[in-house]
């Protein structure tokens, strides 16, 4: 298990380095950063000054090394627009986004795993069709439109839930559903397919031949094996949701990273965007790593070689 | 007076398929006494595995099972609730499957999978269940049994896994064990060991054993009685001695011709083969099922369904209109050879 974990950790570090190179390169995506910083109508001399102050004249490898060392120390740069330290702004907003992501994932799993299991027990039944319909709608419906529809009914027409802000837990209900519903189809389909496969396997027949109760067969013997790929998928989907929260947070005016990214794009606040991309990517990598570990824990064939 | 463990009368299994109804098993009647080994022999697809699953009530959902009688130790187990049936499975009768590589759950330890069967059916503590598991693992010839309990199936070889499956089947001390081709997936060297083990345990624990196989070599060694199946029907039953010394049904003879007998089959001689293929079991089949491949076939054989006749020898029956006629026997012996 330790060998397995170290190997995965190695891969994670390599991916993180790659991501850091990419997010560092973002500064140069829109051309000469000194030109952008100096603003319109700046003289040749001004641009040269900016270049010197920010160290843009040095070789790019040196700049990256310098940036990486500072990033590792927690210094992600300075936002010219907010006149603030990027890292402190990002980490102030991060918990809100993580909370939203966690609630959305919880909603998605609570809805999709039982639906997937029931659909697999009774394939082609009414419940199976219902589940497939739910999945199809989820996949076909843009999340922003779903979010607006939720707002319209639950927020405006029925006045059941608040439609913007983060003041209470009620504020998180609609955003979580809007964000999580998007993930539901994939998880449900995978659970259903996994359960269908496992339920027809030889060891399930063995479990029944032992006279085990149907519930034991279903949950202890079948779901345990069918859930393994769902764990990996959930980690990946959680990452997607962090990205997807850009739209949802903007719609529901939730002060998280997604909202911040959107604001930063509008303000051309490159260090901020750079930092958020880096932080989200690292979280994503960490999640994948955790999912691998959890998989190793669930599947003894990985854990015990 | 021997104790009857299993009584099956007129078991029929139909499976709806897109092209009609597959009559997989037709009117099978078998019985097993305590301490007796019944071998069900036949080629792939003859319905022998379905028969065993039907006794355990583990058939696929779409299969339709009918029977005039299905009794375990004089108690009917046909048409009882799934709940009551699950009390019997793994407890009073258990099953050993063909594929040891996939028949154990990869996510749980050997110890867990062994003890759960006992703890499901008996009020025993975790420790007692463990002791029983270790005892049985030793019985099935696994060394360092106690340390095996913590191992996972993927850490064991096929032969060891099949031994674990046997131990699992024995956990509750069943009256009847059904072994469905338990050695087919194993190396030849291990096959003999496993069979020997099964026969030994059967004697020691005085259980009924149904062994399902297509390997007549296996049958010769451990069977008390034999039921030969062909295309969903029993074509011949009798004691092992009767069937091996004087096979009556042309199919049984064909099967026996397929295996070489040391000292009897001449070196370099051609082994027999049964020409043709097994007929489709979809829809009604008029006449004898073996007719299309039989060397003795005549018009009567095709006229109508052939019943299972009692033979003049006791405890012996045969489904053939021509086999028990001295003339045809002579013809067949010359013709088939």
């Amino acid at each position: 298990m330790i060998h397995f974990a170290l190997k995965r950790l190695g891969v994670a570090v390599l991916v993180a380095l790659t991501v850091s190179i990419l997010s560092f390169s973002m500064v140069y995506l829109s051309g000469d950063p000194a030109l952008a910083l100096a603003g319109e109508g700046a003289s040749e001399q001004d641009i040269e000054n900016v270049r010197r102050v920010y160290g843009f004249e040095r070789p790019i490898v040196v700049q990256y090394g310098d940036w990486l060392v500072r990033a590792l120390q927690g210094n992600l740069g300075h936002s010219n627009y907010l006149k603030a330290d990027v890292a402190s702004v990002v980490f102030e907003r991060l918990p809100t986004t993580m909370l939203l992501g966690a609630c959305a994932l919880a909603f998605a799993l609570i809805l999709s795993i039982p639906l997937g299991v029931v659909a697999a027990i009774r394939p082609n039944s009414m419940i199976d069709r219902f589940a497939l319909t739910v999945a199809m709608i989820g996949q076909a419906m843009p999340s922003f439109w779903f979010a607006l529809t939720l707002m319209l009914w639950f927020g405006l027409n029925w006045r059941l839930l608040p439609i913007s802000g983060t003041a209470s837990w009620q504020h998180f209900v609609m955003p979580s559903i809007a964000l999580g519903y998007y993930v539901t189809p994939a998880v449900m389909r995978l659970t259903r397919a996994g359960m269908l496969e496992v339920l027809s396997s030889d060891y399930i027949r063995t479990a029944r031949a032992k006279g085990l109760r149907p519930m034991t067969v279903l949950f202890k013997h079948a779901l345990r094996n069918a859930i393994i790929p769902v764990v990996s998928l959930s980690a990946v989907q959680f990452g997607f949701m962090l990205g997807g929260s850009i739209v949802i947070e903007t719609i529901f005016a939730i002060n998280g990273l997604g909202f911040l990214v959107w604001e930063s794009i509008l303000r051309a606040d490159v260090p901020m965007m750079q930092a958020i991309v880096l932080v989200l990517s690292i979280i994503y990598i960490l999640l994948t790593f955790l999912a691998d570990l959890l998989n190793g824990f669930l599947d003894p064939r990985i854990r015990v070689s | 007076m021997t104790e009857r463990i299993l009584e099956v009368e007129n078991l029929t299994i139909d499976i709806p398929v897109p092209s009609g109804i597959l009559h997989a098993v037709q009117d099978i009647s078998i019985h097993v006494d305590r301490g007796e080994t019944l071998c069900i022999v036949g080629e792939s697809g003859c319905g022998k595995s379905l028969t065993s699953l039907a006794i355990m009530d583990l058939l696929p959902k779409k299969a339709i099972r009918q029977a005039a009688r299905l009794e375990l130790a004089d108690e009917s187990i046909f048409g009882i609730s799934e709940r009551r049936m699950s009390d019997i499975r793994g407890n009073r009768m258990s099953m050993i499957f063909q594929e040891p590589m996939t028949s154990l759950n990869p996510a749980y330890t050997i110890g867990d999978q062994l003890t759960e069967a006992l703890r499901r059916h008996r009020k025993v503590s975790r420790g007692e269940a463990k002791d029983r598991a270790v005892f049985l693992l030793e019985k099935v010839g696994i060394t360092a049994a106690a340390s095996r309990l913590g191992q996972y199936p993927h850490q064991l070889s096929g032969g060891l896994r099949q031994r674990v499956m046997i131990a699992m089947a024995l956990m509750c001390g069943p009256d009847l064990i059904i072994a469905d081709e338990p050695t087919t997936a194993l190396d030849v060297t291990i096959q003999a060991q496993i069979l020997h083990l099964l026969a030994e345990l059967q004697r020691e624990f005085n259980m009924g054993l149904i062994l399902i196989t297509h390997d007549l070599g296996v049958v010769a060694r451990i069977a008390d009685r034999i039921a030969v199946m062909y295309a969903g029907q029993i074509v011949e039953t009798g004691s092992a001695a009767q069937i091996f010394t004087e096979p009556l049904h042309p199919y049984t003879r064909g099967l026996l011709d397929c295996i070489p007998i040391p000292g009897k089959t001449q070196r370099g001689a051609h082994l027999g083969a049964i020409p043709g293929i097994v007929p489709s079991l979809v829809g009604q089949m008029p006449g004898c099922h073996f007719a299309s491949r039989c060397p003795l076939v005549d018009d009567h054989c095709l006229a109508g369904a052939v019943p299972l006749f009692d033979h003049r020898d006791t405890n012996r029956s045969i489904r053939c209109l021509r086999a028990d006629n001295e003339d045809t026997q002579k013809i067949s012996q010359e013709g088939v050879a």
Side-chain angles (χ1 to χ4, degrees):
Chain A
M1 181 68 182
I2 290 173
H3 178 74
F4 167 76
L6 283 177
K7 219 165 74 183
R8 291 291 151 163
L9 189 64
V11 173
V13 169
L14 283 179
V15 176
L17 271 178
T18 313
V19 166
S20 75
I21 291 173
L22 287 175
S23 64
F24 170 77
S25 315
M26 273 176 60
V27 181
Y28 290 93
L29 272 184
S30 50
D32 189 347
L35 205 68
L37 273 171
E40 255 177 89
S43 69
E44 202 58 36
Q45 188 56 45
D46 293 337
I47 296 170
E48 199 53 45
N49 282 340
V50 169
R51 199 165 279 149
R52 208 157 346 102
V53 169
Y54 285 90
F56 290 142
E57 84 286 2
R58 295 173 300 164
I60 196 151
V61 181
V62 176
Q63 287 185 51
Y64 169 70
D66 189 38
W67 176 81
L68 186 64
V69 168
R70 274 189 287 134
L72 284 176
Q73 289 163 348
N75 180 359
L76 292 172
H78 188 82
S79 164
N80 279 320
Y81 186 88
L82 291 174
K83 306 279 180 251
D85 182 36
V86 167
S88 58
V89 176
V90 168
F91 285 108
E92 189 191 306
R93 303 283 193 97
L94 184 60
T96 310
T97 298
M98 294 294 277
L99 179 65
L100 176 61
C103 290
L105 186 66
F107 167 76
L109 295 182
I110 288 169
L111 182 66
S112 57
I113 290 180
L115 265 183
V117 170
V118 176
I121 299 171
R122 303 228 177 285
N124 300 322
S125 64
M126 288 297 283
I127 291 179
D128 187 19
R129 296 215 174 131
F130 169 73
L132 282 174
T133 311
V134 167
M136 207 172 63
I137 294 172
Q139 266 167 344
M141 194 165 50
S143 57
F144 74 89
W145 183 83
F146 183 49
L148 292 173
T149 312
L150 283 179
M151 263 179 155
L152 190 65
W153 290 103
F154 290 91
L156 290 174
N157 288 4
W158 297 329
R159 298 197 174 274
L160 291 171
L161 292 163
I163 57 169
S164 77
T166 52
S168 68
W169 66 264
Q170 285 100 328
H171 287 85
F172 280 94
V173 174
M174 276 197 288
S176 299
I177 292 173
L179 192 55
Y181 189 59
Y182 187 64
V183 173
T184 308
V187 179
M188 201 212 75
R189 278 165 185 272
L190 193 66
T191 309
R192 179 180 182 270
M195 280 301 276
L196 273 179
E197 194 193 316
V198 169
L199 282 175
S200 65
S201 68
D202 288 344
Y203 57 81
I204 291 302
R205 192 179 53 185
T206 306
R208 292 184 58 211
K210 277 194 261 186
L212 299 181
R213 301 230 181 265
M215 284 295 150
T216 317
V217 174
L218 201 59
F219 290 102
K220 181 178 171 187
H221 285 272
L223 189 58
R224 169 69 188 268
N225 283 287
I227 209 78
I228 293 171
V230 176
V231 170
S232 311
L233 181 77
S234 302
V236 176
Q237 296 289 354
F238 191 73
F240 276 138
M241 283 196 292
L242 292 180
S245 67
I246 296 176
V247 173
I248 298 298
E249 285 184 12
T250 307
I251 292 175
F252 288 99
I254 291 171
N255 238 346
L257 272 192
F259 199 28
L260 183 63
V261 152
W262 184 67
E263 288 172 320
S264 304
I265 292 169
L266 290 183
R267 299 166 189 151
D269 192 345
V270 175
M272 192 64 88
M273 292 193 287
Q274 210 178 17
I276 296 171
V277 168
L278 186 68
V279 167
L280 285 183
S281 310
I282 301 245
I283 290 173
Y284 188 67
I285 292 165
L286 273 178
L287 284 171
T288 320
F289 175 63
L290 281 178
D292 281 341
L293 288 190
L294 198 54
N295 260 347
F297 178 72
L298 286 174
D299 188 348
R301 282 167 297 188
I302 299 175
R303 183 168 19 116
V304 193
S305 49
Chain B
M1 179 68 195
T2 49
E3 184 189 347
R4 183 63 41 107
I5 295 295
L6 182 78
E7 181 80 59
V8 179
E9 220 177 273
N10 302 105
L11 174 71
T12 296
I13 303 169
D14 291 335
I15 301 172
V17 291
S19 53
I21 287 178
L22 177 76
H23 301 284
V25 170
Q26 296 160 29
D27 271 344
I28 296 270
S29 299
I30 52 173
H31 58 88
V32 182
D33 292 338
R34 184 174 287 285
E36 185 184 45
T37 301
L38 168 71
C39 283
I40 302 181
V41 189
E43 58 198 291
S44 307
C46 72
K48 55 194 196 299
S49 288
L50 283 174
T51 303
S52 64
L53 289 174
I55 296 169
M56 293 288 285
D57 195 11
L58 287 175
L59 284 172
K61 265 184 209 145
K62 59 178 179 179
I64 302 158
R65 181 182 71 150
Q66 284 168 305
R69 252 168 96 191
L70 183 51
E71 287 172 1
L72 184 70
D74 293 329
E75 187 190 331
S76 178
I77 54 167
F78 186 78
I80 63 173
S81 69
E82 170 61 26
R83 195 182 184 83
R84 276 187 59 205
M85 195 60 208
S86 76
D87 287 339
I88 291 169
R89 275 190 221 118
N91 181 11
R92 294 175 50 205
M93 61 176 175
S94 31
M95 193 156 174
I96 300 162
F97 296 100
Q98 188 174 353
E99 284 291 337
M101 301 310 278
T102 51
S103 290
L104 288 162
N105 192 327
Y108 295 100
T109 60
I110 302 303
D112 188 278
Q113 296 185 58
L114 280 169
T115 52
E116 74 175 340
L118 187 62
R119 284 171 62 77
R120 157 70 176 85
H121 296 293
R122 304 270 188 282
K123 278 196 185 331
V124 293
S125 71
R126 217 169 274 275
E128 286 167 323
K130 239 181 190 169
D131 292 343
R132 171 85 178 160
V134 172
F135 168 76
L136 284 173
L137 283 182
E138 280 166 356
K139 272 272 170 251
V140 298
I142 293 182
T143 51
S147 68
R148 299 279 183 189
L149 292 184
Q151 289 191 315
Y152 288 93
H154 72 274
Q155 296 171 287
L156 307 181
S157 68
L160 278 183
R161 288 190 211 186
Q162 197 59 300
R163 285 170 195 270
V164 170
M165 289 297 293
I166 294 173
M168 195 183 284
L170 293 171
M171 279 304 278
C172 293
D175 296 327
L176 176 71
I177 289 211
I178 304 173
D180 183 6
E181 307 216 23
T183 60
T184 307
L186 301 175
D187 288 346
V188 180
T189 48
I190 297 170
Q191 290 186 356
Q193 293 175 13
I194 296 283
L195 278 174
H196 186 70
L197 175 70
L198 263 179
E200 204 173 275
L201 291 167
Q202 185 235 9
R203 223 170 302 130
E204 181 172 343
F205 293 111
N206 198 23
M207 304 171 291
L209 173 66
I210 298 180
L211 181 72
I212 290 164
T213 181
H214 59 256
D215 183 349
L216 279 170
V218 162
V219 175
R221 262 175 288 175
I222 70 171
D224 294 316
R225 279 188 308 106
I226 297 174
V228 181
M229 278 184 79
Y230 181 78
Q233 295 178 327
I234 288 180
V235 293
E236 181 166 7
T237 64
S239 74
Q242 286 168 337
I243 295 218
F244 273 97
T245 53
E246 194 201 357
L248 291 177
H249 196 281
Y251 178 65
T252 316
R253 285 189 217 166
L255 278 184
L256 286 170
D257 281 341
C258 298
I259 51 166
I261 301 159
K264 204 171 165 192
T265 310
Q266 279 186 350
R267 191 170 287 274
H270 283 283
L271 288 176
I274 304 172
I277 52 160
V278 184
S280 160
L281 294 176
V282 178
Q284 289 298 334
M285 196 187 312
C288 173
H289 286 194
F290 191 58
S292 65
R293 304 169 75 182
C294 184
L296 309 177
V297 65
D298 68 11
D299 291 346
H300 297 293
C301 301
L302 297 167
V306 180
L308 197 62
F309 296 109
D310 283 336
H311 189 260
R312 54 177 136 64
D313 295 351
T314 47
N315 294 325
R316 187 153 196 208
S317 38
I318 176 172
R319 194 185 292 274
C320 184
L321 296 173
R322 314 251 302 140
D324 206 19
N325 175 315
E326 287 195 14
D327 290 344
T328 54
Q329 270 192 47
K330 229 162 107 195
I331 294 167
S332 78
Q333 271 159 11
E334 287 158 7
V336 173

